[in-house]
Amino acid sequence: PEDRPANIVIITNPNLKKNRDGLPDRKYRFVALDRQRGEQSKGEHPHWWCVIRDVMENGNSLLVYEGKIESDLNVLSVLEKHNCIVRSNLYGWHLADGVEAVADSGDDTIHVYQFAYDHGIDCIKGANEGGFRHPDGGTRIFEYELDRPLCSMFGKQTKFPCEQSAEPLAQRLHPKEPRFLRYSKHGIRERLHWLRSGGELKWEVPGDVSEDYRQHDAAEEARERKGPRGEILVEWVQTSRRNDLRVCECYIAMLLDRAG
């Protein structure tokens, strides 16, 4: 515990500003979207929260974009401007090469499914499991995503053509076919915490991030308690109403893990 403090205050780099060009020679550009219906009593309409982060081969990363987006069309505009999606005459919108994107479908589920399906984005949903078994025998903080195409979640056909063979559908899906997978709510938070704990990897946050980003980042804290065998257990507790941008960073920590 002394080597890994329970709570880490966000450290921004005043010498960096958000820039859609991001990191030169990046390995990936990761996108995380979180849909919210909004509370009508507070005058809120349905909206999205979005984080885009560039990642190098060695795992160093830089925040490129963060913010609240009021409509689906505006999401597309942001993704286009950041070279995350492209349109083809044959298959419509899909992710650009080197881009991985996820959208949480815990709220406004069918709308998120349709939007993600239309634009080649994977859908994710939180679960209370600590981890999920994978075919290689290991346990990860996310499900094995090849098992379930997103189209199967709401009665659609695959977006891209499948190979014609006797192999199971999961093995015949096009590489860009949107998937659905669950993630460990605790696991993705633990992974973000590890990435930001001051080890060898850089988790860069420019100094010009929004006040929303700062407030959302401070909206959760780790609390320790003793388990039934006397072991120390860490639980993440939400202390403020809005934590959406922090959760988007957790999704990106999961994408980093998934990419190896």
Side-chain angles (χ1 to χ4, degrees):
E2 291 79 9
D3 295 333
R4 196 170 181 193
N7 294 292
I8 299 171
V9 177
I10 183 175
I11 298 175
T12 61
N13 187 336
N15 298 319
L16 293 175
K17 294 187 181 299
K18 288 178 292 182
N19 185 319
R20 68 181 63 162
D21 292 334
L23 290 172
D25 303 320
R26 65 177 177 264
K27 177 69 173 177
Y28 293 105
R29 175 159 284 187
F30 289 148
V31 180
L33 292 163
D34 186 29
R35 174 76 171 177
Q36 296 292 326
R37 291 180 187 270
E39 295 184 38
Q40 291 187 354
S41 62
K42 294 182 169 62
E44 294 179 342
H45 299 285
H47 56 274
W48 300 85
W49 295 94
C50 177
V51 168
I52 303 175
R53 181 174 282 273
D54 281 358
V55 179
M56 300 297 287
E57 178 75 37
N58 66 354
N60 290 342
S61 68
L62 172 68
L63 180 68
V64 174
Y65 174 89
E66 50 80 18
K68 182 179 182 181
I69 306 178
E70 297 289 352
S71 71
D72 293 358
L73 287 177
N74 286 348
V75 171
L76 292 182
S77 177
V78 168
L79 296 183
E80 271 194 289
K81 288 177 180 177
H82 288 80
N83 300 313
C84 296
I85 56 173
V86 294
R87 182 189 264 287
S88 70
N89 293 330
L90 193 57
Y91 301 122
W93 292 103
H94 57 87
L95 296 183
D97 291 341
V99 176
E100 292 192 15
V102 292
D104 186 81
S105 59
D107 199 5
D108 207 1
T109 300
I110 298 302
H111 183 93
V112 176
Y113 284 168
Q114 188 67 59
F115 181 85
Y117 174 84
D118 288 344
H119 303 99
I121 296 169
D122 289 349
C123 272
I124 57 176
K125 189 171 184 179
N128 292 322
E129 281 91 337
F132 301 91
R133 296 288 289 177
H134 279 235
D136 62 4
T139 301
R140 308 295 293 274
I141 60 172
F142 51 86
E143 280 187 313
Y144 184 63
E145 72 272 21
L146 297 184
D147 282 347
R148 192 181 305 147
L150 175 59
C151 62
S152 67
M153 299 297 292
F154 66 134
K156 299 284 185 179
Q157 299 297 314
T158 56
K159 180 179 174 70
F160 297 92
C162 296
E163 294 180 11
Q164 299 301 315
S165 73
E167 296 290 335
L169 174 63
Q171 297 180 27
R172 296 187 283 114
L173 292 174
H174 189 282
K176 289 187 179 293
E177 184 70 34
R179 265 78 170 184
F180 175 89
L181 62 147
R182 295 182 301 155
Y183 61 84
S184 164
K185 294 178 182 178
H186 175 81
I188 63 172
R189 285 163 169 81
E190 183 67 13
R191 192 65 80 247
L192 176 66
H193 184 64
W194 179 80
L195 286 165
R196 292 178 49 189
S197 292
E200 295 181 359
L201 296 183
K202 292 182 180 179
W203 183 271
E204 294 273 30
V205 179
D208 64 343
V209 290
S210 66
E211 187 59 30
D212 280 334
Y213 185 91
R214 296 176 186 274
Q215 290 180 0
H216 290 201
D217 186 73
E220 294 185 5
E221 64 179 36
R223 295 179 183 172
E224 294 183 350
R225 66 177 177 85
K226 281 193 174 183
R229 297 181 299 276
E231 73 276 23
I232 299 297
L233 301 176
V234 178
E235 297 175 333
W236 292 93
V237 179
Q238 186 172 343
T239 57
S240 299
R241 175 171 165 263
R242 296 262 59 95
N243 67 340
D244 310 275
L245 291 171
R246 178 183 176 89
V247 173
C248 284
E249 289 281 38
C250 290
Y251 301 153
I252 286 181
M254 180 192 70
L255 287 175
L256 247 161
D257 190 313
R258 188 171 77 167

